[in-house]
Amino acid sequence: MRAPGRAMTLGDRVGVGGRGRRRPCPCAEDGAASVVAVSFVGVVVALAAAVVVVLLASLASQSAAHAADAAALAAADAVSGAVPGEPCALAAEVASRNGARLATCEVTGADALVSVVVDRGAISATAASRAGPAG
């Protein structure tokens, strides 16, 4: 405790010598910041996992679209006689080389319609494509 008229010193503020000791706060919020921090980290981890799943699905979808386009073009080339071979067999081979498997293959006139499936772990993407002469 300081004398009247005397300026407060650092010792008076922190309670040097046992004077002016602070009593512990009987507050109910002890440790609440830890709970909030752990909850925040949990939310961030969950959001990151969701973003990874969405990105993997997008990647599988794009891979399927590219494989379907290439397989349809290969089948259309075989139909037109530009390359030798059976159209659907060529489409299956091209799809396989692009990491997909051929699901369906239909040849109607000079048009080839194919669909492929790409499996990336638990994620599966399907795409279809048509190739043939313009018009």
Side-chain angles (χ1 to χ4, degrees):
M1 186 110 158
R2 65 185 169 102
R6 193 181 112 216
M8 182 177 257
T9 65
L10 180 62
D12 292 331
R13 285 190 215 138
V14 295
V16 173
R19 295 178 293 146
R21 272 197 181 157
R22 296 184 187 170
R23 291 186 173 164
C25 177
C27 303
E29 290 96 19
D30 287 348
S34 299
V35 173
V36 171
V38 169
S39 299
F40 181 74
V41 169
V43 167
V44 168
V45 168
L47 287 175
V51 166
V52 167
V53 169
V54 169
L55 289 176
L56 287 176
S58 176
L59 180 65
S61 174
Q62 288 299 311
S63 295
H66 293 294
D69 289 343
L73 287 170
D77 283 347
V79 168
S80 71
V83 295
E86 199 273 317
C88 290
L90 285 175
E93 181 182 342
V94 169
S96 175
R97 288 184 182 184
N98 283 288
R101 67 181 158 79
L102 189 65
T104 63
C105 177
E106 296 177 22
V107 177
T108 308
D111 290 343
L113 177 65
V114 300
S115 66
V116 299
V117 176
V118 171
D119 294 316
R120 298 277 192 255
I123 297 171
S124 181
T126 304
S129 185
R130 176 203 158 285

